[in-house]
Amino acid sequence: MTTEAVAEFESHRPRLFALAYRMLGSASEAEDIVQDTYLRWSAADRSAVRTPAAWLTKVMTNLCINHLTSARARREVYAGPWLPEPVLTHTATGPPGPLGPMESAEQRESVSFALLTLMERLTPAERAVFVLREAFGHSHREVAEAVGIEEAHSRQLHRRARERLGHPRRHFDVDDGQRRKIVERFFAAALEGDVAGLERMLAEDVTAWADGGGQVSAARRPITGRDKVLRYLLGLGHRPEAERVRAEFAEVNGAPAAVVLVGPELLAIVVPEISEGRVSAVRTVINPDKLAFAARQLA
């Protein structure tokens, strides 16, 4: 492959990864799909490619659809709750991270744990259409070309996807600075065992999920309700390794979160969801396989 062809692909790699991640909810799988797209680009008759960006998007979209079709069966028998792989992102003042700019609520929402988890309800084609249309702003004509369907079918799939998701968008009723302060207070209270402080911060219908993937000990079902979640969080603080744990704050998937470490080892990533000034959800990833990408980012 020529140097120009390699440079052409590399210019599109960040966008392809960001697109694949939103379609799959997995950074490691997105890397694999981008690499497969590269191999197809290297073997293609590039003289017949009029618009490389459109060609690459179409190839990668269909690879993602095929991958999602096989992944659905695996996720149905996944041990415990399934959560997306966490990715460290940058704030609006820094350079774009691996998932693209995070300058607006819409950009952050497109990679939020809440929306990526909800998108598991969608068929592979619905998810592809939704991501291309909602997160990347493609016209239905462009979406139809990428997915290999008629434009009318693209509109139908998009409408169906929105109906299945309901109203997934969170209302950012506090600014970034306020959300970070709430998250910091939440983790300080959890690590200190401050029962009263935690109780004040948890919404009455708060839900906690933990994704251990069957590899490490984790709650196999969502924990719902302030009292149950409070006991669950306080119980974590009494584990043998709790005294050696430290939490560092970071932006994960466009939201304030905590990176939990024991020494240099990444133990967990905890992403609270804030609604009306309270913690309405807590999503914790402790599956070592799902932490590998973020561990490389930290290193």
Side-chain angles (χ1 to χ4, degrees):
M1 189 161 54
T2 65
T3 302
E4 291 78 7
V6 173
E8 178 71 44
F9 182 87
E10 292 303 324
S11 71
H12 296 286
R13 184 184 287 273
R15 182 179 181 279
L16 292 174
F17 176 84
L19 180 56
Y21 176 80
R22 286 166 172 83
M23 287 194 190
L24 304 173
S26 167
S28 57
E29 292 173 3
E31 287 183 315
D32 291 342
I33 292 294
V34 172
Q35 188 60 26
D36 285 348
T37 304
Y38 175 80
L39 294 175
R40 282 159 174 74
W41 173 250
S42 66
D45 177 7
R46 290 180 297 278
S47 64
V49 177
R50 291 185 297 175
T51 310
W55 189 94
L56 292 168
T57 298
K58 181 174 183 176
V59 169
M60 198 204 66
T61 296
N62 283 279
L63 286 171
C64 285
I65 289 174
N66 292 339
H67 187 83
L68 283 169
T69 301
S70 62
R72 283 169 71 87
R74 295 196 305 274
R75 291 179 187 179
E76 285 174 2
V77 295
Y78 191 80
W82 180 94
L83 292 175
E85 281 188 26
V87 176
L88 301 178
T89 51
H90 294 276
T91 62
T93 56
L99 302 183
M102 295 289 150
E103 298 169 358
S104 67
E106 290 77 16
Q107 288 168 333
R108 294 194 300 275
E109 182 61 30
S110 74
V111 293
S112 71
F113 267 37
L115 183 58
L116 289 173
T117 304
L118 277 175
M119 283 201 288
E120 290 293 297
R121 300 176 180 178
L122 306 181
T123 67
E126 287 170 349
R127 186 161 182 164
V129 169
F130 183 84
V131 169
L132 288 167
R133 179 73 178 147
E134 295 281 326
F136 288 85
H138 286 289
S139 67
H140 278 294
R141 180 183 60 79
E142 293 167 332
V143 172
E145 174 63 24
V147 181
I149 56 178
E150 297 293 329
E151 188 172 337
H153 192 197
S154 172
R155 295 180 184 279
Q156 182 183 48
L157 289 173
H158 181 243
R159 182 171 60 252
R160 191 183 303 161
R162 289 180 65 87
E163 289 172 355
R164 288 196 181 196
L165 292 175
H167 301 283
R169 295 190 184 282
R170 289 175 292 162
H171 296 289
F172 289 87
D173 49 10
V174 293
D175 63 28
D176 290 347
Q178 289 176 301
R179 284 207 311 281
R180 181 183 172 90
K181 289 178 181 178
I182 292 170
V183 170
E184 289 177 347
R185 290 203 305 271
F186 168 71
F187 282 108
L191 291 173
E192 293 167 9
D194 180 358
V195 178
L198 275 175
E199 193 169 18
R200 285 194 300 271
M201 299 191 68
L202 295 174
E204 187 174 347
D205 59 349
V206 61
T207 300
W209 293 265
D211 182 342
Q215 297 197 49
V216 292
S217 177
R220 290 295 184 99
R221 297 178 182 275
I223 300 167
T224 302
R226 180 187 293 152
D227 292 342
K228 291 181 179 179
V229 171
L230 181 61
R231 289 197 297 272
Y232 169 69
L233 293 173
L234 292 173
L236 295 178
H238 289 93
R239 289 192 173 189
E241 69 273 17
E243 292 184 359
R244 297 182 291 118
V245 164
R246 73 181 192 279
E248 296 181 357
F249 296 97
E251 183 186 273
V252 175
N253 286 59
V259 174
V260 181
L261 304 113
V262 174
E265 181 184 357
L266 177 59
L267 187 70
I269 288 182
V270 187
V271 185
E273 185 174 327
I274 310 301
S275 179
E276 298 180 354
R278 291 176 181 266
V279 176
S280 58
V282 183
R283 296 178 174 88
T284 304
V285 178
I286 53 179
N287 182 341
D289 291 342
K290 289 192 174 183
L291 294 173
F293 186 86
R296 294 204 307 271
Q297 288 183 287
L298 289 170

